[in-house]
Amino acid sequence: MARMKFICDAERCIECNGCTTACKNEHEVPWGVNRRRLVTVNDGVPGERSISVACMHCTDAPCMAVCPVDCFYRTEDQIVLHDKDLCIGCGYCFYACPFGAPQFPQAGAFGLRGKMDKCTYCAGGPEENHSVEEFRKYGRNRIAEGKLPACAEMCSTKALLAGDAPVITTIYKTRVVTRGKGDEIWGWAMAYGGSAKLKDQPGVTL
């Protein structure tokens, strides 16, 4: 049985916000709620890194542990989803989640919390698949269509990986090991190895 997960490769993320835009567009996410967002560390200085953050669909999800009405549940693919009909807007999940995934739309002048919203891994919710009600509450169910989450599919550099955990872990591990080869793997010599045009260039060894 598959265990669906996300991995974001910070070495490849170029902070284009393609993932956040794809998520908003695919699910018509309401204003003020960001199911996926970019976090940048050391912005504008050497060593700057960006990472795409959303619900990580934890194996031992803290949101499930603290919810007083048990609105969270886990699918066969280990995707953590929630039932908006059960949610009472208490905010416990918001404080428990280390990734800030659960979000609450602000309704009213005094910040009255509405129903919690979060990343669904493009797997919809408890409503009937592809129903109008499912789309209205949770967005499009791409998993039922045999597709991956829109954020990962739209990532231009493939920094954001989604899929079966052992598969994407192997992909990421291969990237890390390959990077250890040295600078030449990303250099001109690697891209244009054997090219006569590079032989006369200073500092280039083929």
Side-chain angles (χ1 to χ4, degrees):
M1 183 181 298
R3 179 179 292 274
M4 307 300 274
K5 294 291 183 183
F6 284 119
I7 292 180
C8 185
D9 187 347
E11 296 292 331
R12 286 192 174 208
C13 182
I14 58 173
E15 202 179 350
C16 67
N17 278 289
C19 54
T20 59
T21 303
C23 179
K24 283 264 190 189
N25 184 63
E26 190 78 359
H27 305 297
E28 298 181 9
V29 180
W31 180 260
V33 173
N34 294 299
R35 292 183 178 180
R36 179 166 288 283
R37 66 191 188 282
L38 277 174
V39 175
T40 301
V41 180
N42 297 328
D43 194 8
V45 300
E48 174 184 328
R49 291 288 184 275
S50 295
I51 188 168
S52 182
V53 179
C55 176
M56 298 304 288
H57 303 276
C58 306
T59 303
D60 185 17
C63 56
M64 296 181 74
V66 300
C67 181
V69 293
D70 293 328
C71 80
F72 292 93
Y73 65 98
R74 200 184 305 275
T75 68
E76 291 182 357
D77 293 327
Q78 305 302 305
I79 299 170
V80 178
L81 299 179
H82 65 294
D83 189 337
K84 287 191 174 183
D85 291 336
L86 296 178
C87 178
I88 59 175
C90 65
Y92 287 1
C93 56
F94 172 79
Y95 293 109
C97 178
F99 305 104
Q103 311 234 338
F104 292 87
Q106 299 298 314
F110 299 100
L112 180 66
R113 280 195 282 256
K115 299 287 186 178
M116 184 272 291
D117 191 277
K118 78 171 190 69
C119 163
T120 63
Y121 205 90
C122 289
E127 309 291 342
E128 182 182 350
N129 286 350
H130 310 307
S131 64
V132 174
E133 195 67 10
E134 181 187 50
F135 183 82
R136 184 181 68 83
K137 292 180 182 178
Y138 309 100
R140 184 174 169 192
N141 191 339
R142 293 173 56 91
I143 297 298
E145 298 173 8
K147 300 177 181 178
L148 288 174
C151 55
E153 285 203 350
M154 290 301 293
C155 182
S156 58
T157 61
K158 299 304 175 190
L160 185 60
L161 301 173
D164 195 4
V167 175
I168 62 174
T169 300
T170 301
I171 294 171
Y172 183 69
K173 182 179 179 181
T174 302
R175 289 181 182 179
V176 172
V177 171
T178 304
R179 285 181 195 135
K181 181 182 176 187
D183 294 337
E184 71 273 16
I185 194 158
W186 303 117
W188 289 99
M190 185 68 180
Y192 300 99
S195 172
K197 294 181 180 179
L198 289 178
K199 291 180 179 177
D200 300 327
Q201 297 296 320
V204 175
T205 56
L206 298 176

